[in-house]
Every structure is written in structure tokens, then in C-alpha cells.
Amino acid sequence: MIDEVARRLEAAQRIVAFSGAGISAESGVPTFREKDGLWEQHPIGEVATPQALRGNPRKVWEFYEMRRQNMQSVEPNPGHEAVAELESLCDDVTVVTQNIDGLHQRAGSTRVLEVHGSLWKARCLAGCGRTVDPFPYPAYELPPPCECGSVLRPEVVLFGEMLPAEVFREAEACAARADVVLVIGTSSVVWPAAGIPLIAQEAGATVIEVNPAETELTAHFDFSLRGAAGRILPELVARVRELRA
Ligand code: BV8
Ligand code: ZN
């Protein structure tokens, strides 16, 4: 199967790598829905909804500041690096990530669409328009003050919130014109992001999942490589390189 997948990848003019928390798992970043996942330790209703943010901005900030703190000792892993290396094999590669950790960019990917926002950006909660990018770690005060007298909020998409319209539109457009989509390390349960690979498939793309487990959408995909991204993606890229040699 991996030979057939490598052939599809080698022939692709336009590639979309769609990623979730699983690609960062081997960097030591906890995922959300596996055992001891983030949502087990921190109920979504308390730390990842607009209601929680309005009701207790400090508690929501403590959750995101803890994740920013954990990221201080985290590096991209061979999975991120293999995705970045795709750019040397294909001149139209777009990463569409649900992750907010910034690891794809640190691994060298140059076109990254963050459909759920970023840990490293903040914006005014009251809507005065101020944005702080980058919003470096540590935040000296939680919640951080905004010049307008309100406070800043993480530039992260909380449950029940719209995804950044421009970014999501661009992600849908990239999916609709992709030849191959890699679906890496996502449980495919969070919408509308989970629908990105299906948009590509409707438009004729080959969709390849990389995940140690079966997911909600595995049955829809053309190929599903069972295993860790940090092992499978470097092997895939190596085979594409061989086909090119
Ligand atoms: C919206 C914040 C509404 C940032 C996140 C019912 C009730 C309420 C809401 C809904 C509902 N039904 C649908 C909804 C909408 C809701 C939703 O989809 N809920 C789901 C849970 C049912 N969606 C929303 O609310 C979205 N907004 O719909 O707006 C609207 C509509 C119109 C008009 C106005 C408003 C907003 C969704 C974004 C929410 N924010 N996070 C943060 O804290 O990070 S979502 C959160 O889940 C993260 O962003 C994460 O990226 C995302 C998806 O999770 P995964 O990345 O897939 O991670 P997970 O742990 O689930 O899975 C890890 C996978 O990796 C596993 O498959 C595992 O096997 C694999 N893996 C593990 N190790 C490895 C590996 N793979 C490879 N290699 C390894 N080594
Ligand atoms: Zn403000």
C-alpha cells in the first residue's frame, strides 16, 4: 500500500497536508481525546467556550498559558519535518492544521493555514481591534490587559465560534484543487475542519490517512496507513525521493 501511496504523492502537482493533534504527539504535546487527553483534564465547558471566556477569562487564560508553557520544551518531530520536506518534492504544498502549536512553521513549512488559530497570537476581547502577533510567552498578567481598558484573549477558535473566515475559505479552496490530501493525526470529529479532506475527495483528490487508529472518516478515505506520523511520513517522503531519483 505504501508504494501505491508514494506513487500518488510523487505524481501530485498540488498537495494538502491536513493535520491534527496526533502529528504533535511524538513531540510530547498531549492530544485531546485519547486517554489522559487534554479534555479529560480540562473540561471543554470550563476552558474552551466563549461562555467560559466571558465568565472566567483568567481560568481560560491559565489553560492556554499552561499549553504555551509546555511548548517551551517542545521541538518539531520527524513527522513535521517530513511534511516540510514535501515542499522540496512538490512546488505547491499547503498545510491546513487544526493545531495551534506552531510546530509546522518551526519545522520549515512555509504555507500553513491555522484554521483553529494560534497559541502565539492574542486579540482584544472587547473587540477594539487590537491584535498582538506574536504574543510571546510568558504573559506577564492573566488575563493580559488591552490598551483600551479591556483584556486580550487567545487568538484561538473556541467551541461554538466561527473559524477565521479568510483562512478557512483559503483552506477549502486549496482542498478543492488538491491532487492528494494527507490526513495526519486527527480524529476527524471536529467540524467544519473535519470536512476539508472530503471537499478534496469530492473534487477528485486521493485522500490518504496517517493514524495509528481508525477514525470517524477512515472508511471514506482512499488509503489509511496505520501507524505513527513520525515513522510513516519520513518513510513516505523517502520513497517519493527514490521514485524521483
Ligand atoms: C463551529 C481550540 C459553530 C483550540 C478546538 C454539538 C454541540 C456543540 C458543537 C457542535 C456539535 N456538533 C458539532 C458542533 C460543532 C463543533 C464540533 O465539531 N464539536 C465536536 C466535538 C462534536 N465545532 C465547533 O464548535 C467549531 N465551530 O462549529 O461554529 C457555528 C457555525 C456557524 C455559525 C456560527 C457558529 C469550532 C471548532 C474548533 C474548536 N476548537 N480547539 C485548542 O484548544 O487547541 S477543537 C480541538 O479539536 C483542537 O483544535 C483539535 O485540533 C481539534 C481536533 O482534534 P484532533 O486534532 O483530531 O485531536 P484528537 O485528540 O481528537 O485526535 C488525535 C488523533 O491523533 C487521534 O486520531 C489519534 O489516533 C491520532 N494520533 C495519536 N498519536 C499519533 C496520531 N496520529 C499520528 N501519529 C501519532 N503519533
Ligand atoms: Zn482592546
Side-chain angles (χ1 to χ4, degrees):
M1 180 189 310
I2 194 158
D3 284 330
E4 177 54 25
V5 167
R7 255 194 298 284
R8 302 285 181 104
L9 214 44
E10 194 279 331
Q13 307 289 316
R14 283 179 294 281
I15 297 171
V16 164
F18 177 69
S19 67
I23 198 170
S24 299
E26 289 158 273
S27 296
V29 181
T31 60
F32 293 91
R33 295 172 186 84
E34 294 182 281
K35 211 171 97 32
D36 306 334
L38 273 170
W39 298 143
E40 238 172 73
Q41 329 269 336
H42 309 272
I44 289 176
E46 289 174 22
V47 296
T49 64
Q51 296 74 10
L53 182 61
R54 269 196 304 281
N56 190 341
R58 183 182 172 80
K59 187 167 170 65
V60 172
W61 261 110
E62 282 165 355
F63 173 61
Y64 284 100
E65 191 67 355
M66 171 273 291
R67 293 178 61 194
R68 287 156 37 99
Q69 180 178 21
N70 294 344
M71 285 304 299
Q72 300 310 307
S73 56
V74 163
E75 297 294 326
N77 68 60
H80 298 105
E81 287 156 0
V83 168
E85 210 187 319
L86 282 175
E87 295 186 19
S88 63
L89 294 165
C90 170
D91 55 14
D92 186 340
V93 177
T94 304
V95 177
V96 176
T97 188
Q98 300 170 91
N99 300 340
I100 60 175
D101 56 31
L103 288 176
H104 280 298
Q105 294 92 321
R106 285 176 53 194
S109 286
T110 59
R111 260 171 64 73
V112 181
L113 299 174
E114 294 175 314
V115 293
H116 286 165
S118 169
L119 279 174
W120 314 113
K121 294 179 187 165
R123 72 166 188 266
C124 177
L125 178 62
C128 81
R130 188 157 174 260
T131 60
V132 183
D133 175 7
F135 185 66
Y137 175 84
Y140 292 100
E141 203 183 329
L142 291 181
C146 180
E147 281 166 358
C148 74
S150 175
V151 295
L152 297 176
R153 61 160 285 171
E155 184 73 84
V156 162
V157 182
L158 303 177
F159 282 94
E161 291 190 318
M162 294 290 280
L163 278 58
E166 226 5 76
V167 174
F168 193 63
R169 220 191 328 276
E170 174 66 12
E172 287 180 312
C174 287
R177 60 168 190 263
D179 302 312
V180 168
V181 174
L182 292 167
V183 182
I184 309 160
T186 182
S187 57
S188 292
V189 300
V190 175
W191 293 81
I196 294 271
L198 299 180
I199 291 171
Q201 192 167 56
E202 308 270 298
T206 299
V207 180
I208 300 149
E209 184 180 44
V210 177
N211 196 316
E214 214 173 299
T215 68
E216 302 245 329
L217 296 185
T218 298
H220 293 259
F221 298 148
D222 302 287
F223 298 91
S224 190
L225 302 176
R226 200 57 72 246
R231 178 179 64 74
I232 289 186
L233 292 174
E235 191 184 329
L236 210 41
V237 167
R239 285 169 188 255
V240 174
R241 216 170 265 302
E242 275 161 32
L243 289 170
R244 282 283 166 80

mmCIF file of all heavy atoms in Angstrom, residues 11-16 90-96 111 113 167-181 196-206:
data_model
loop_
_atom_site.group_PDB
_atom_site.id
_atom_site.type_symbol
_atom_site.label_atom_id
_atom_site.label_comp_id
_atom_site.label_asym_id
_atom_site.label_seq_id
_atom_site.Cartn_x
_atom_site.Cartn_y
_atom_site.Cartn_z
ATOM 1 N N ALA A 11 3.388 11.844 -8.033
ATOM 2 C CA ALA A 11 2.764 12.391 -9.255
ATOM 3 C C ALA A 11 1.967 13.665 -8.969
ATOM 4 O O ALA A 11 1.549 14.370 -9.884
ATOM 5 C CB ALA A 11 1.845 11.336 -9.862
ATOM 6 N N ALA A 12 1.765 13.978 -7.698
ATOM 7 C CA ALA A 12 0.861 15.097 -7.348
ATOM 8 C C ALA A 12 1.467 16.458 -7.720
ATOM 9 O O ALA A 12 2.647 16.712 -7.487
ATOM 10 C CB ALA A 12 0.559 15.058 -5.856
ATOM 11 N N GLN A 13 0.640 17.323 -8.296
ATOM 12 C CA GLN A 13 1.059 18.715 -8.572
ATOM 13 C C GLN A 13 0.741 19.590 -7.356
ATOM 14 O O GLN A 13 1.401 20.553 -7.070
ATOM 15 C CB GLN A 13 0.276 19.277 -9.770
ATOM 16 C CG GLN A 13 0.335 18.411 -11.018
ATOM 17 C CD GLN A 13 1.720 18.457 -11.664
ATOM 18 O OE1 GLN A 13 2.294 19.535 -11.779
ATOM 19 N NE2 GLN A 13 2.255 17.299 -12.017
ATOM 20 N N ARG A 14 -0.379 19.266 -6.700
ATOM 21 C CA ARG A 14 -0.812 20.112 -5.571
ATOM 22 C C ARG A 14 -1.167 19.187 -4.399
ATOM 23 O O ARG A 14 -2.032 18.317 -4.534
ATOM 24 C CB ARG A 14 -2.045 20.944 -5.968
ATOM 25 C CG ARG A 14 -1.694 22.149 -6.842
ATOM 26 C CD ARG A 14 -2.927 22.931 -7.221
ATOM 27 N NE ARG A 14 -3.811 22.148 -8.094
ATOM 28 C CZ ARG A 14 -3.566 21.999 -9.395
ATOM 29 N NH1 ARG A 14 -2.508 22.551 -9.940
ATOM 30 N NH2 ARG A 14 -4.357 21.271 -10.143
ATOM 31 N N ILE A 15 -0.481 19.423 -3.273
ATOM 32 C CA ILE A 15 -0.658 18.567 -2.093
ATOM 33 C C ILE A 15 -1.191 19.414 -0.932
ATOM 34 O O ILE A 15 -0.724 20.541 -0.711
ATOM 35 C CB ILE A 15 0.681 17.926 -1.669
ATOM 36 C CG1 ILE A 15 1.214 16.993 -2.774
ATOM 37 C CG2 ILE A 15 0.526 17.147 -0.352
ATOM 38 C CD1 ILE A 15 2.638 16.487 -2.507
ATOM 39 N N VAL A 16 -2.167 18.865 -0.211
ATOM 40 C CA VAL A 16 -2.602 19.484 1.053
ATOM 41 C C VAL A 16 -2.301 18.495 2.174
ATOM 42 O O VAL A 16 -2.639 17.311 2.068
ATOM 43 C CB VAL A 16 -4.118 19.814 1.032
ATOM 44 C CG1 VAL A 16 -4.643 20.075 2.446
ATOM 45 C CG2 VAL A 16 -4.394 21.027 0.144
ATOM 46 N N CYS A 90 7.546 18.954 -4.238
ATOM 47 C CA CYS A 90 6.334 19.404 -4.951
ATOM 48 C C CYS A 90 6.232 20.906 -4.696
ATOM 49 O O CYS A 90 6.386 21.353 -3.550
ATOM 50 C CB CYS A 90 5.122 18.674 -4.372
ATOM 51 S SG CYS A 90 3.545 19.326 -4.946
ATOM 52 N N ASP A 91 6.019 21.705 -5.768
ATOM 53 C CA ASP A 91 6.099 23.157 -5.505
ATOM 54 C C ASP A 91 4.769 23.767 -5.104
ATOM 55 O O ASP A 91 4.643 24.985 -5.016
ATOM 56 C CB ASP A 91 6.718 23.882 -6.714
ATOM 57 C CG ASP A 91 5.938 23.565 -7.997
ATOM 58 O OD1 ASP A 91 4.811 23.032 -7.867
ATOM 59 O OD2 ASP A 91 6.468 23.825 -9.080
ATOM 60 N N ASP A 92 3.755 22.938 -4.845
ATOM 61 C CA ASP A 92 2.500 23.511 -4.334
ATOM 62 C C ASP A 92 2.010 22.643 -3.178
ATOM 63 O O ASP A 92 1.193 21.734 -3.360
ATOM 64 C CB ASP A 92 1.449 23.571 -5.462
ATOM 65 C CG ASP A 92 0.181 24.284 -5.003
ATOM 66 O OD1 ASP A 92 -0.038 24.377 -3.770
ATOM 67 O OD2 ASP A 92 -0.585 24.742 -5.858
ATOM 68 N N VAL A 93 2.562 22.930 -1.999
ATOM 69 C CA VAL A 93 2.178 22.185 -0.791
ATOM 70 C C VAL A 93 1.560 23.172 0.204
ATOM 71 O O VAL A 93 2.154 24.217 0.486
ATOM 72 C CB VAL A 93 3.403 21.513 -0.123
ATOM 73 C CG1 VAL A 93 2.995 20.804 1.169
ATOM 74 C CG2 VAL A 93 4.054 20.517 -1.093
ATOM 75 N N THR A 94 0.379 22.884 0.679
ATOM 76 C CA THR A 94 -0.268 23.730 1.707
ATOM 77 C C THR A 94 -0.565 22.863 2.930
ATOM 78 O O THR A 94 -1.132 21.777 2.798
ATOM 79 C CB THR A 94 -1.596 24.315 1.172
ATOM 80 O OG1 THR A 94 -1.342 25.024 -0.037
ATOM 81 C CG2 THR A 94 -2.226 25.262 2.205
ATOM 82 N N VAL A 95 -0.151 23.373 4.088
ATOM 83 C CA VAL A 95 -0.505 22.693 5.341
ATOM 84 C C VAL A 95 -1.762 23.372 5.899
ATOM 85 O O VAL A 95 -1.794 24.588 6.068
ATOM 86 C CB VAL A 95 0.636 22.795 6.376
ATOM 87 C CG1 VAL A 95 0.226 22.139 7.699
ATOM 88 C CG2 VAL A 95 1.900 22.132 5.832
ATOM 89 N N VAL A 96 -2.802 22.582 6.130
ATOM 90 C CA VAL A 96 -4.004 23.085 6.797
ATOM 91 C C VAL A 96 -4.022 22.385 8.154
ATOM 92 O O VAL A 96 -4.151 21.165 8.214
ATOM 93 C CB VAL A 96 -5.280 22.737 6.005
ATOM 94 C CG1 VAL A 96 -6.534 23.197 6.774
ATOM 95 C CG2 VAL A 96 -5.241 23.368 4.618
ATOM 96 N N ARG A 111 3.790 27.394 3.935
ATOM 97 C CA ARG A 111 2.383 27.788 3.727
ATOM 98 C C ARG A 111 1.541 26.997 4.724
ATOM 99 O O ARG A 111 1.256 25.824 4.510
ATOM 100 C CB ARG A 111 1.932 27.462 2.287
ATOM 101 C CG ARG A 111 1.947 28.684 1.369
ATOM 102 C CD ARG A 111 1.725 28.275 -0.050
ATOM 103 N NE ARG A 111 0.407 27.679 -0.268
ATOM 104 C CZ ARG A 111 -0.710 28.392 -0.282
ATOM 105 N NH1 ARG A 111 -0.667 29.680 -0.045
ATOM 106 N NH2 ARG A 111 -1.874 27.825 -0.510
ATOM 107 N N LEU A 113 -1.947 27.094 7.039
ATOM 108 C CA LEU A 113 -3.242 27.728 7.352
ATOM 109 C C LEU A 113 -3.720 27.171 8.693
ATOM 110 O O LEU A 113 -3.998 25.976 8.811
ATOM 111 C CB LEU A 113 -4.260 27.418 6.251
ATOM 112 C CG LEU A 113 -3.883 27.921 4.845
ATOM 113 C CD1 LEU A 113 -4.897 27.431 3.814
ATOM 114 C CD2 LEU A 113 -3.779 29.434 4.815
ATOM 115 N N VAL A 167 -9.086 32.465 6.380
ATOM 116 C CA VAL A 167 -8.208 31.285 6.451
ATOM 117 C C VAL A 167 -8.982 30.040 6.020
ATOM 118 O O VAL A 167 -8.507 29.223 5.232
ATOM 119 C CB VAL A 167 -7.684 31.110 7.898
ATOM 120 C CG1 VAL A 167 -6.884 29.825 8.041
ATOM 121 C CG2 VAL A 167 -6.837 32.309 8.300
ATOM 122 N N PHE A 168 -10.214 29.921 6.512
ATOM 123 C CA PHE A 168 -10.985 28.715 6.204
ATOM 124 C C PHE A 168 -11.373 28.675 4.722
ATOM 125 O O PHE A 168 -11.334 27.621 4.085
ATOM 126 C CB PHE A 168 -12.225 28.625 7.099
ATOM 127 C CG PHE A 168 -12.873 27.258 7.055
ATOM 128 C CD1 PHE A 168 -12.191 26.131 7.502
ATOM 129 C CD2 PHE A 168 -14.137 27.086 6.515
ATOM 130 C CE1 PHE A 168 -12.754 24.862 7.428
ATOM 131 C CE2 PHE A 168 -14.705 25.831 6.432
ATOM 132 C CZ PHE A 168 -14.021 24.715 6.895
ATOM 133 N N ARG A 169 -11.698 29.833 4.176
ATOM 134 C CA ARG A 169 -12.029 29.895 2.742
ATOM 135 C C ARG A 169 -10.823 29.449 1.911
ATOM 136 O O ARG A 169 -10.955 28.644 0.989
ATOM 137 C CB ARG A 169 -12.427 31.335 2.375
ATOM 138 C CG ARG A 169 -13.606 31.428 1.393
ATOM 139 C CD ARG A 169 -13.819 32.807 0.833
ATOM 140 N NE ARG A 169 -13.491 33.939 1.688
ATOM 141 C CZ ARG A 169 -14.314 34.447 2.595
ATOM 142 N NH1 ARG A 169 -15.491 33.884 2.788
ATOM 143 N NH2 ARG A 169 -13.955 35.481 3.329
ATOM 144 N N GLU A 170 -9.649 29.922 2.307
ATOM 145 C CA GLU A 170 -8.412 29.560 1.585
ATOM 146 C C GLU A 170 -8.161 28.044 1.722
ATOM 147 O O GLU A 170 -7.800 27.358 0.757
ATOM 148 C CB GLU A 170 -7.244 30.362 2.168
ATOM 149 C CG GLU A 170 -5.859 30.028 1.640
ATOM 150 C CD GLU A 170 -5.672 30.362 0.158
ATOM 151 O OE1 GLU A 170 -6.537 31.058 -0.406
ATOM 152 O OE2 GLU A 170 -4.708 29.840 -0.435
ATOM 153 N N ALA A 171 -8.443 27.515 2.921
ATOM 154 C CA ALA A 171 -8.240 26.067 3.144
ATOM 155 C C ALA A 171 -9.181 25.255 2.265
ATOM 156 O O ALA A 171 -8.785 24.269 1.626
ATOM 157 C CB ALA A 171 -8.475 25.740 4.617
ATOM 158 N N GLU A 172 -10.419 25.695 2.170
ATOM 159 C CA GLU A 172 -11.392 24.987 1.318
ATOM 160 C C GLU A 172 -10.965 25.059 -0.146
ATOM 161 O O GLU A 172 -11.025 24.075 -0.878
ATOM 162 C CB GLU A 172 -12.782 25.624 1.471
ATOM 163 C CG GLU A 172 -13.469 25.329 2.799
ATOM 164 C CD GLU A 172 -14.841 25.985 2.900
ATOM 165 O OE1 GLU A 172 -14.927 27.195 2.593
ATOM 166 O OE2 GLU A 172 -15.818 25.304 3.256
ATOM 167 N N ALA A 173 -10.476 26.220 -0.562
ATOM 168 C CA ALA A 173 -10.051 26.389 -1.961
ATOM 169 C C ALA A 173 -8.850 25.484 -2.267
ATOM 170 O O ALA A 173 -8.792 24.829 -3.310
ATOM 171 C CB ALA A 173 -9.698 27.859 -2.214
ATOM 172 N N CYS A 174 -7.903 25.413 -1.330
ATOM 173 C CA CYS A 174 -6.729 24.532 -1.530
ATOM 174 C C CYS A 174 -7.174 23.083 -1.607
ATOM 175 O O CYS A 174 -6.699 22.307 -2.440
ATOM 176 C CB CYS A 174 -5.737 24.703 -0.382
ATOM 177 S SG CYS A 174 -4.854 26.259 -0.460
ATOM 178 N N ALA A 175 -8.130 22.717 -0.774
ATOM 179 C CA ALA A 175 -8.621 21.320 -0.782
ATOM 180 C C ALA A 175 -9.291 21.015 -2.117
ATOM 181 O O ALA A 175 -9.065 19.979 -2.725
ATOM 182 C CB ALA A 175 -9.602 21.117 0.366
ATOM 183 N N ALA A 176 -10.056 21.982 -2.614
ATOM 184 C CA ALA A 176 -10.836 21.747 -3.835
ATOM 185 C C ALA A 176 -9.951 21.590 -5.065
ATOM 186 O O ALA A 176 -10.360 21.010 -6.063
ATOM 187 C CB ALA A 176 -11.815 22.893 -4.048
ATOM 188 N N ARG A 177 -8.662 22.084 -4.959
ATOM 189 C CA ARG A 177 -7.822 21.946 -6.159
ATOM 190 C C ARG A 177 -6.652 20.993 -5.925
ATOM 191 O O ARG A 177 -5.773 20.833 -6.756
ATOM 192 C CB ARG A 177 -7.322 23.307 -6.639
ATOM 193 C CG ARG A 177 -6.489 24.091 -5.692
ATOM 194 C CD ARG A 177 -5.826 25.293 -6.403
ATOM 195 N NE ARG A 177 -4.857 25.868 -5.491
ATOM 196 C CZ ARG A 177 -5.096 26.930 -4.713
ATOM 197 N NH1 ARG A 177 -6.255 27.535 -4.798
ATOM 198 N NH2 ARG A 177 -4.190 27.367 -3.882
ATOM 199 N N ALA A 178 -6.674 20.309 -4.771
ATOM 200 C CA ALA A 178 -5.564 19.386 -4.459
ATOM 201 C C ALA A 178 -5.662 18.102 -5.273
ATOM 202 O O ALA A 178 -6.747 17.651 -5.629
ATOM 203 C CB ALA A 178 -5.590 19.057 -2.968
ATOM 204 N N ASP A 179 -4.485 17.500 -5.576
ATOM 205 C CA ASP A 179 -4.474 16.166 -6.200
ATOM 206 C C ASP A 179 -4.431 15.100 -5.107
ATOM 207 O O ASP A 179 -4.997 14.033 -5.232
ATOM 208 C CB ASP A 179 -3.203 15.989 -7.052
ATOM 209 C CG ASP A 179 -3.096 17.059 -8.118
ATOM 210 O OD1 ASP A 179 -4.113 17.285 -8.803
ATOM 211 O OD2 ASP A 179 -2.045 17.709 -8.213
ATOM 212 N N VAL A 180 -3.677 15.425 -4.036
ATOM 213 C CA VAL A 180 -3.524 14.477 -2.927
ATOM 214 C C VAL A 180 -3.691 15.235 -1.607
ATOM 215 O O VAL A 180 -3.203 16.348 -1.455
ATOM 216 C CB VAL A 180 -2.120 13.807 -2.947
ATOM 217 C CG1 VAL A 180 -1.864 13.058 -1.645
ATOM 218 C CG2 VAL A 180 -2.008 12.853 -4.134
ATOM 219 N N VAL A 181 -4.432 14.646 -0.684
ATOM 220 C CA VAL A 181 -4.543 15.188 0.675
ATOM 221 C C VAL A 181 -4.042 14.130 1.663
ATOM 222 O O VAL A 181 -4.479 12.974 1.600
ATOM 223 C CB VAL A 181 -6.003 15.557 1.033
ATOM 224 C CG1 VAL A 181 -6.109 15.989 2.501
ATOM 225 C CG2 VAL A 181 -6.510 16.657 0.118
ATOM 226 N N ILE A 196 -12.666 19.192 5.511
ATOM 227 C CA ILE A 196 -11.689 19.647 4.482
ATOM 228 C C ILE A 196 -11.258 18.503 3.553
ATOM 229 O O ILE A 196 -11.316 18.622 2.321
ATOM 230 C CB ILE A 196 -10.460 20.287 5.186
ATOM 231 C CG1 ILE A 196 -10.868 21.570 5.908
ATOM 232 C CG2 ILE A 196 -9.291 20.494 4.238
ATOM 233 C CD1 ILE A 196 -10.819 22.822 5.159
ATOM 234 N N PRO A 197 -10.855 17.336 4.108
ATOM 235 C CA PRO A 197 -10.445 16.253 3.204
ATOM 236 C C PRO A 197 -11.578 15.775 2.289
ATOM 237 O O PRO A 197 -11.347 15.358 1.164
ATOM 238 C CB PRO A 197 -10.002 15.142 4.167
ATOM 239 C CG PRO A 197 -9.693 15.826 5.449
ATOM 240 C CD PRO A 197 -10.640 16.984 5.514
ATOM 241 N N LEU A 198 -12.804 15.889 2.768
ATOM 242 C CA LEU A 198 -13.944 15.409 1.958
ATOM 243 C C LEU A 198 -14.214 16.361 0.799
ATOM 244 O O LEU A 198 -14.607 15.942 -0.285
ATOM 245 C CB LEU A 198 -15.191 15.241 2.842
ATOM 246 C CG LEU A 198 -15.042 14.230 3.992
ATOM 247 C CD1 LEU A 198 -16.337 14.133 4.798
ATOM 248 C CD2 LEU A 198 -14.626 12.849 3.486
ATOM 249 N N ILE A 199 -13.930 17.648 1.016
ATOM 250 C CA ILE A 199 -14.064 18.624 -0.088
ATOM 251 C C ILE A 199 -13.092 18.227 -1.207
ATOM 252 O O ILE A 199 -13.429 18.208 -2.390
ATOM 253 C CB ILE A 199 -13.756 20.048 0.413
ATOM 254 C CG1 ILE A 199 -14.845 20.534 1.369
ATOM 255 C CG2 ILE A 199 -13.552 21.024 -0.746
ATOM 256 C CD1 ILE A 199 -14.532 21.840 2.079
ATOM 257 N N ALA A 200 -11.873 17.862 -0.805
ATOM 258 C CA ALA A 200 -10.853 17.466 -1.782
ATOM 259 C C ALA A 200 -11.276 16.194 -2.512
ATOM 260 O O ALA A 200 -11.201 16.097 -3.736
ATOM 261 C CB ALA A 200 -9.531 17.246 -1.065
ATOM 262 N N GLN A 201 -11.772 15.255 -1.750
ATOM 263 C CA GLN A 201 -12.163 13.967 -2.339
ATOM 264 C C GLN A 201 -13.299 14.164 -3.344
ATOM 265 O O GLN A 201 -13.250 13.615 -4.445
ATOM 266 C CB GLN A 201 -12.588 12.998 -1.236
ATOM 267 C CG GLN A 201 -12.715 11.572 -1.754
ATOM 268 C CD GLN A 201 -12.820 10.582 -0.625
ATOM 269 O OE1 GLN A 201 -13.712 10.729 0.214
ATOM 270 N NE2 GLN A 201 -11.919 9.623 -0.585
ATOM 271 N N GLU A 202 -14.268 15.013 -2.991
ATOM 272 C CA GLU A 202 -15.387 15.312 -3.917
ATOM 273 C C GLU A 202 -14.841 15.860 -5.233
ATOM 274 O O GLU A 202 -15.395 15.619 -6.298
ATOM 275 C CB GLU A 202 -16.315 16.402 -3.340
ATOM 276 C CG GLU A 202 -16.839 16.179 -1.950
ATOM 277 C CD GLU A 202 -18.166 15.426 -1.951
ATOM 278 O OE1 GLU A 202 -19.144 15.937 -2.510
ATOM 279 O OE2 GLU A 202 -18.161 14.301 -1.408
ATOM 280 N N ALA A 203 -13.731 16.627 -5.101
ATOM 281 C CA ALA A 203 -13.172 17.268 -6.311
ATOM 282 C C ALA A 203 -12.181 16.342 -7.010
ATOM 283 O O ALA A 203 -11.497 16.745 -7.945
ATOM 284 C CB ALA A 203 -12.484 18.572 -5.913
ATOM 285 N N GLY A 204 -12.077 15.085 -6.538
ATOM 286 C CA GLY A 204 -11.266 14.114 -7.277
ATOM 287 C C GLY A 204 -9.900 13.822 -6.698
ATOM 288 O O GLY A 204 -9.090 13.124 -7.305
ATOM 289 N N ALA A 205 -9.620 14.356 -5.509
ATOM 290 C CA ALA A 205 -8.288 14.114 -4.935
ATOM 291 C C ALA A 205 -8.208 12.709 -4.333
ATOM 292 O O ALA A 205 -9.224 12.113 -3.984
ATOM 293 C CB ALA A 205 -8.005 15.147 -3.839
ATOM 294 N N THR A 206 -6.976 12.227 -4.207
ATOM 295 C CA THR A 206 -6.712 10.983 -3.453
ATOM 296 C C THR A 206 -6.485 11.382 -2.007
ATOM 297 O O THR A 206 -5.712 12.306 -1.749
ATOM 298 C CB THR A 206 -5.440 10.293 -3.988
ATOM 299 O OG1 THR A 206 -5.658 9.957 -5.360
ATOM 300 C CG2 THR A 206 -5.100 9.055 -3.186
#
